[in-house]
Amino acid sequence: MSFTIAIVGRPNVGKSTLFNRLIGERQAIVDNISGVTRDRQYGESEWNGKVFNIVDTGGFVPNSADIFEKAIKEQVEIAIDEASLILFMVDVTTGITDLDDMMVQMLRRTDKPVFVVVNKVDNSKRILEANEFYSLGMEHTYFISSINGSGTGELLDGVAEVIPEQKENEDGDQLMKVAIVGQPNVGKSSLLNAMVGEQRNIVTDIAGTTRDSIHTHYNLYGKDFLLIDTAGIRKKSKVMENLEFYSVIRAINAIDECDVCILMIDAKVGIEGQDLKILHLAEVKRKGVVLLVNKWDLIENKAEKIKPTIDRIKGRIAPFSDVPILFVSALEKTRVMKTIDTAIEVFERKTTNITTSEINDKLQEVIERTPPPSIKGKYVKIKYITQLDTPYPAFVFFCNLPQYIKEPYKNFLENKIRTIWNFTGVPIRLVFRKK
């Protein structure tokens, strides 16, 4: 189940700062210049056992006041249509503006939950001034300071109450789900059409032809699974802001829903920042990944360019570089069946269960040969390893001093696990606990 929160509001009210705090990392560029958020920011967060997606709608660089208001209006409309919950941010230092009033009128018409988030409330004087925002008449109003975090705990408590209990396989459907994601016009719909052998989607050279996620039941050649084709995730510098916002939310929900994510990139363009964001999101959500380099038929001297292209891609996607990379042409239906077979293989690896005895037999031998380095004269002893019962491969290492296991040694163990059991295309998780 996917639950997506959109942060909306006029520029320079602190949306990106709140976004960074909620996802726990400094991902969005923050500045006091209106419209500094150029690319769409999206991430995942967790509070009180509830997991949810967050989309920062960003600012604008308007050419005129009319275009500025139009863009704000479109963004709020899409948030109302596509998000599960809307955080409407305002600024206590400026009070209620005409633009705030315009957005409130729109938000009142939705049955989606809307939280008014009054930002920059960081002293007693501003707490009194913030009471003005109760006059907006919205049911939920929170006073916060996104820069220092005050009030965000109460806000997240309110968010967690709205999110329904998340159940796995609540529809009882055990079919493998494969999401086809990527930037616009990389050939996602062409690939789906090539897979199912019929013209299910409109295919044009116009970016943004696919607006909705389209589900297709694939049942051919003894293979049975669900295909999810999504709208592309696009960069603000190239397309209209509203279409990008729409595409991002749909693609995030598709990644939530799938077991394996087929990330398509354009052979001529190469892997870009937005592609890395999609890959990172799939990794964070522990989804299987297959990377397709599409339109390979347009490349000259193909054979000699394969290895440099693979090396360049793996360099960009590191540290999660153990990903199958296929060179395909969706238009000419080249290596389409190989794509299907690889996605199935990744799914099988993702659902692999290894016995505890096999894990200990093979890994303890590795650990004895290369034990964790001593720290402050203390030696870490890993005594027991087992696989956790999770929808993705996760291993728990019981040891005497788990706090002394550093990142390089964790990477070493992960690489050994990948080498021994072949988890190509599957993010894995290592947990260290005190015995």
Side-chain angles (χ1 to χ4, degrees):
M1 178 181 176
S2 183
F3 193 93
T4 301
I5 296 171
I7 307 174
V8 303
R10 51 192 177 79
N12 207 25
V13 294
K15 297 189 298 297
S16 295
T17 308
L18 177 63
F19 171 83
N20 286 337
R21 183 162 290 281
L22 294 183
I23 67 166
E25 55 186 271
R26 191 173 174 82
Q27 182 174 320
I29 299 168
V30 178
D31 204 310
N32 59 5
I33 300 170
S34 170
V36 77
T37 304
R38 295 290 197 274
D39 286 334
R40 177 65 50 240
Q41 301 293 338
Y42 38 93
E44 185 178 80
S45 188
E46 181 180 356
W47 188 262
N48 291 347
K50 304 285 184 70
V51 179
F52 49 94
N53 303 304
I54 306 169
V55 180
D56 172 18
T57 59
F60 297 89
V61 185
N63 295 322
S64 72
D66 290 339
I67 293 175
F68 175 57
E69 291 194 10
K70 181 175 180 289
I72 286 275
K73 183 173 182 291
E74 288 172 347
Q75 200 171 67
V76 174
E77 285 173 344
I78 294 165
I80 290 170
D81 289 341
E82 298 298 321
S84 312
L85 181 148
I86 300 156
L87 299 183
F88 170 44
M89 285 198 76
V90 290
D91 184 346
V92 68
T93 63
T94 58
I96 300 171
T97 68
D98 291 343
L99 203 51
D100 294 329
D101 273 329
M102 179 198 80
M103 285 187 271
V104 167
Q105 294 303 321
M106 296 169 62
L107 292 169
R108 282 200 184 109
R109 296 195 290 268
T110 181
D111 55 359
K112 304 278 180 72
V114 178
F115 290 3
V116 176
V117 182
V118 187
N119 192 26
K120 306 180 186 178
V121 184
D122 50 15
N123 58 48
S124 55
K125 180 186 176 186
R126 288 184 175 179
I127 289 172
L128 291 173
E129 292 170 349
N131 288 316
E132 171 192 5
F133 290 90
Y134 284 118
S135 67
L136 295 175
M138 306 299 280
E139 184 179 353
H140 305 281
T141 302
Y142 294 89
F143 300 164
I144 73 160
S145 172
S146 56
I147 200 162
N148 64 33
S150 66
T152 52
E154 291 81 355
L155 171 63
L156 285 168
D157 286 341
V159 167
E161 286 179 12
V162 173
I163 301 173
E165 289 297 327
Q166 294 157 329
K167 299 176 183 176
E168 291 182 18
N169 298 323
E170 50 190 22
D171 58 356
D173 188 359
Q174 299 300 317
L175 279 178
M176 176 180 78
K177 297 183 180 69
V178 178
I180 306 172
V181 299
Q183 295 197 57
N185 208 28
V186 294
K188 297 183 301 299
S189 296
S190 297
L191 177 66
L192 184 136
N193 292 337
M195 284 180 171
V196 300
E198 54 184 285
Q199 198 77 1
R200 295 297 298 265
N201 295 344
I202 299 168
V203 180
T204 70
D205 291 330
I206 302 168
T209 304
T210 306
R211 299 293 181 82
D212 295 327
S213 296
I214 298 169
H215 292 60
T216 304
H217 190 172
Y218 184 95
N219 190 350
L220 292 171
Y221 312 113
K223 298 171 174 63
D224 191 25
F225 54 90
L226 200 66
L227 276 166
I228 308 167
D229 178 34
T230 65
I233 299 179
R234 60 190 66 233
K235 291 193 292 187
K236 180 178 175 183
S237 60
K238 292 186 179 179
V239 295
M240 292 172 59
E241 179 81 19
N242 63 337
L243 263 179
E244 178 198 354
F245 185 24
Y246 187 99
S247 301
V248 164
I249 294 180
R250 282 295 169 99
I252 288 172
N253 292 341
I255 292 171
D256 268 333
E257 190 179 349
C258 78
D259 300 300
V260 178
C261 175
I262 295 178
L263 171 58
M264 296 186 72
I265 65 173
D266 190 314
K268 286 200 163 183
V269 176
I271 192 161
E272 297 188 300
Q274 289 284 22
D275 303 314
L276 296 175
K277 288 181 185 177
I278 303 170
L279 182 70
H280 175 67
L281 198 61
E283 182 188 0
V284 165
K285 293 176 180 294
R286 314 288 179 186
K287 305 297 183 180
V289 175
V290 178
L291 204 154
L292 292 192
V293 182
N294 190 31
K295 306 183 185 178
W296 194 242
D297 54 302
L298 303 179
I299 302 298
E300 297 178 359
N301 303 320
K302 300 178 182 60
E304 61 189 53
K305 290 185 179 176
I306 287 177
K307 188 180 184 304
T309 303
I310 290 175
D311 292 342
R312 189 160 52 249
I313 290 171
K314 289 197 171 185
R316 294 288 314 274
I317 68 177
F320 181 41
S321 56
D322 187 17
V323 174
I325 300 172
L326 302 180
F327 295 84
V328 305
S329 170
L331 194 64
E332 296 186 353
K333 301 184 180 180
T334 306
R335 308 199 84 194
V336 170
M337 287 307 299
K338 178 65 176 175
T339 299
I340 294 171
D341 290 338
T342 303
I344 292 171
E345 288 167 7
V346 168
F347 176 71
E348 289 171 351
R349 292 180 201 129
K350 184 173 179 284
T351 53
T352 297
N353 285 310
I354 308 166
T355 64
T356 300
S357 59
E358 184 185 351
I359 294 169
N360 283 274
D361 286 346
K362 294 186 176 179
L363 281 186
Q364 287 292 3
E365 186 180 328
V366 169
I367 292 165
E368 284 175 17
R369 284 200 306 267
T370 313
S374 63
I375 296 178
K376 300 176 183 176
K378 296 184 179 180
Y379 292 88
V380 179
K381 293 184 180 178
I382 297 173
K383 302 176 181 179
Y384 180 73
I385 312 144
T386 188
Q387 185 175 356
L388 296 172
D389 183 19
T390 53
Y392 54 86
F395 301 89
V396 58
F397 292 72
F398 291 97
C399 52
N400 59 334
L401 298 166
Q403 69 274 23
Y404 287 164
I405 303 283
K406 301 302 179 185
E407 204 63 33
Y409 195 74
K410 290 179 184 178
N411 294 338
F412 165 76
L413 289 175
E414 179 176 333
N415 289 336
K416 287 296 180 183
I417 290 171
R418 290 185 176 280
T419 301
I420 294 169
W421 288 288
N422 185 11
F423 283 112
T424 298
V426 181
I428 64 177
R429 182 179 172 220
L430 306 187
V431 180
F432 294 84
R433 292 180 184 164
K434 191 170 180 65
K435 174 67 175 172

